[in-house]
Each structure stands twice: as structure tokens, then as C-alpha cells.
Amino acid sequence: MTSAAPDTSQHCNPLLQHLEMPNFHAGLGDDFADPVAIQPLENPRLVDRSPEAAALLDLDEPDSQELVSLLNGDCLDARMQPLASVYAGHQFGSWVPQLGDGRAHLLGQVRGKNGQLWELQLKGSGQTPYSRFGDGRAVLRSSIREYLCSEAMAGLGIPTTRALALIDSDSPVQRERTERGAIVLRMAPSFIRFGHFELFASRHRMDMVDKLIDHILLHHRPELREADNPALALFEDVIERTARLMAQWQLQGFCHGVMNTDNMSILGLTIDYGPFGFLDTYNPAHICNHSDHGGRYSWSRQADIGWWNLACLGNSLLERISLKQAQESLEVYRDHYQAGFRSLMKAKLGLQDLPGVEDDSLIEDWLQLLYQQSADFSLSFRSLSEFDESAGHPLHKGGLKPSTALNNWLERYRQRLQKQAGTMADRHSAMQAVNPLYLLRNHLAQRAIDRAEQGDYSEVARLRKVLATPFTRHEGADDLAEPPPSNEQGIAVSCSS
Ligand code: AMP
Ligand code: MG
């Protein structure tokens, strides 16, 4: 432990006083996490807050000053006891025996809207016993990206940690250049990762592995508690959720960038936004993390890596699940992934399930077309959602050019659509409900960051608002629905954050 818990006389923040704040971590004991004081930033100021995330905590109009003093750790809720947890993980395939919350403080858990539990966590709030060589800080640039992407993923309907608010400061933080420190307040039902299980299993602390399982089942998966083998029930649950998450990531063009096992959520949430990216032009080999030289975490490999990471989790449960059973459970991963992929892909293409109709080759050929023409991934789907099968319609938005291959494909698509019920208008609206018009493309995030670094936070707020409902057109936001102009293509994002 590097420092003591803060003086509770400083705990005065009324922001969350309307919420129950149960001590859910009590059952995990002292070996799970250490009390660590928050190190406030200089001259903190609010960049933005998410009304959607606030609503989850029954907060209508959170007071800006209360938010800032909570995020900066200047004034916490009297019931909060900041903690940093310890975990381990496989990073780029190599075992790292100890990691942990190196720049994050868990503030506590609240019971929000409809009784849903939310853990509240600060990121960028100072050093902890798990900082290793890090400074415990997060820069404004990466914090804006994490804040916006958390809320954008929620807008896309993809399971994710959330972000309530973000503060900027005058504290200098050294990266490739001197930047400013920032703090995001993240929310998740639980921040427990595969790496927590791996850490305790590697230390032969199966008592702690059992506590983690009990904790997750009790608070987050009560329906699995009666299972004959709770460890197996949890394993199978996370296998299915991860498989479906990978399908959603891929089909909404998301590339995580650092799929290490310490960045994999036991609840199947997207967690730890770093050098992520959304596809612009479709290239399955796309690597969004500049530091990922081998392409281990490229867009198309995410499904396989999800499996590999689950196998690591399975290893840490081998005293509770037989090897044979773990292998059998892992085999089902592919079925869940394919089912998730197929059903979302068909929804994106507006194809209803029809008995005896197999759409795999239509799907494959569509992707092949996008690849050959270097078309924009999401906008091509969006264009198709406006395709008039009687009049024909140029699919210009995604950059698909008229060609024999496109015409042939559209003819097959038209014939396929004729086999199913429903009007064209129905199909269009169903497709538009799953094909986003707006994504947090790198060039858009970068524009918001450039302005925020000059002290103008308005673009962060504008992006957050549009990305909260990315399927509906927003007045005055046409610039956010465009692929990057040539001078803003291929912005490299590194792990430095
Ligand atoms: P990541 O791959 O970004 O999730 O980070 C891997 C590990 O490094 C985690 O345990 C983080 O808490 C830790 N870490 C990353 N950046 C910092 C930093 N600036 N200071 C302290 N710890 C850090
Ligand atoms: Mg991480």
C-alpha cells in the first residue's frame, strides 16, 4: 500500500446521497483490493457529462461542481472508500504475473435505476500499489476517447462499461509530449476481469477464485447460483456473452486494439478503451493499435482471440472444472459466435429468417464487394438500408462504385428480398435501426481532442450527443456521418495514454 485512505472528514459530496451504497466488495476480502488515496489534479474542470449515464443513477441534472469534486477526489461521498484491485493477465500472449488498477480507484457501488448495481471507478486518479512504472495518470486525449467511446458503444447497443463524466486539469503529464491530466468516472456492474481469476489461480488461492465466482453469481448472475457447478455455469455464461460481444464488435466495425486478458470483462462488457478504432474502409486485416506490429488484435482476429482469452480463463478454473469439461464448453464458443454473427448480419442486410434459405454466400459476397472496392464499411450498409429494390438506387454513400459485380450482387439481393414478407419501408426502418449513421471514427475523435486541448469542449459534447443515438439522423450533424477526408485517414493510435 503506498498511501492511506483519505480523511473521511473530507467526505461531503451530496451528489449520490439519494442512492443506496452497499458494500458489495466485503465478501471479496482484503486480498482483492487495497484502500488507496486519490491524488487530485490541479485546477480541475468539467469537460462533459453524459445525461444517459446520469439517468442510470437517477440523476437528472447533476450539479457540475459536485461532479468535479467527486471526479477529482476532493470531496467524496461519506460512504466511499477508494480501492485499487490487483489482477494479472496475458498481454499480447505473454503471461504477466501481476497487474492491477495502476491508475484507477474504485469508489464504491451504488444501486441505481431499477435496482441495477453500478460500480463507480475513477481512471487517471493517481498512483496505486499497482502502477509499476506508470504515473497513475491518464491524459486528456485518451480520456476523451474512453469517455466518448463508452457512451457511443452504449448507443450502438453493445455491452460496455459506461462513463458518467470527464474532467480536464492543469496538471502536466509527460507522454511523447507534455499533456494535461484528466479523469473519467467509469461505471460498470462490475469491473472484474479474466485477469482477476488468473492472478489468484496462479497464486494457488482457489479460496479467492471461489470468492470471485460467488461474488459475480450473487450480485450479477443470481439465476446461475443453483447450478450444480457454479464455476462451470459462470464459465459457460461468459463464453456465450464474449462470443456474442465479438460478433457485435465486428459487425459494428469496432476494433478493440488491446484484447489482453486483463482487458476482458467477466460480465462480457467492452472494457478499457485505449487504441481502439472503428473501420472506415473495409479491410478485415485492419490493425487499429499502432503498437500491435503482428496484428494479433486485428479486426478479423478478434473472435479467435476472444476464444484464446476464454481458454486462459478456463485454465484458472481447472480446479473447479475438469479439463474435458472446459474444452467441451469452449467448443460451443464458435456456435454462439456464428449465431450472433449471422443474426446481426442478417438484420443489417434486412434479411428475415426463412426456412430452407441459406444466406451465407450472399453475405460473403457482400463483404468481398466492400473489400474489393475499399468501400466504407458502415456507410455501405447504411446505403443498402435505403436501397429501392424496384427503382434501383446508387449505393453512393459508402463509396461503392457501379460495377458488374455490384449489379450482379444487387440482383441476387433483390431476388432474395422478394421471397420475404413486409414492405420496403418496413425493411428500410428495420435496417436503419441496426446500421449506424454515426460512429466514433478516429478523425472525429481527433477533431474533438484538438479543440478540447485548446480549451473548447463543445465538440466533445456534440459528438457525445449524436453518438448516443447513432441510428437516427441528427440535424446539423452531416459532417459526423462522413468518412475521413484523405488528409485525415489512417490516424495512428498508440498504447500511450
Ligand atoms: P492497459 O493495457 O492500458 O489496460 O494497461 C495495462 C496495465 O498498466 C493496467 O494494469 C493499468 O492499470 C496499467 N497502467 C497503464 N497506464 C498506466 C499509468 N499511466 N500509470 C499507472 N499504471 C498504468
Ligand atoms: Mg487495462
Side-chain angles (χ1 to χ4, degrees), residues 85 87 91-92 98-104 123 126-128 130-138 173 175 193 256 258 260 262-263 271-275 495 497:
S85 79
Y87 49 84
Q91 297 191 314
F92 288 89
Q98 191 193 291
L99 292 159
D101 296 324
R103 50 174 169 170
K123 182 167 174 181
Q127 287 175 318
T128 77
Y130 309 110
S131 301
R132 298 186 291 170
F133 306 108
D135 56 10
R137 294 304 184 195
V173 175
R175 295 291 180 262
R193 302 140 191 274
H256 182 283
V258 204
N260 296 332
D262 51 300
N263 292 336
I271 187 170
D272 280 12
Y273 293 92
C495 268
S497 60

Side-chain angles (χ1 to χ4, degrees), residues 332-403:
V332 189
Y333 174 85
R334 183 159 299 279
D335 300 336
H336 289 307
Y337 169 72
Q338 281 173 349
F341 188 93
R342 214 172 269 133
S343 77
L344 183 52
M345 181 58 102
K346 285 175 74 171
K348 283 175 75 79
L349 290 173
L351 303 174
Q352 298 163 4
D353 281 326
L354 295 179
V357 175
E358 186 276 316
D359 291 311
D360 288 355
S361 72
L362 194 66
I363 291 171
E364 247 164 60
D365 294 346
W366 166 249
L367 291 175
Q368 191 60 27
L369 257 180
L370 301 192
Y371 178 62
Q372 277 165 354
Q373 296 212 18
S374 298
D376 186 88
F377 183 71
S378 295
L379 289 182
S380 296
F381 279 96
R382 186 76 186 190
S383 261
L384 203 60
S385 75
E386 292 161 7
F387 174 65
D388 181 335
E389 56 254 42
S390 49
H393 189 289
L395 302 181
H396 55 272
K397 259 195 213 132
L400 275 171
K401 294 171 275 299
S403 69

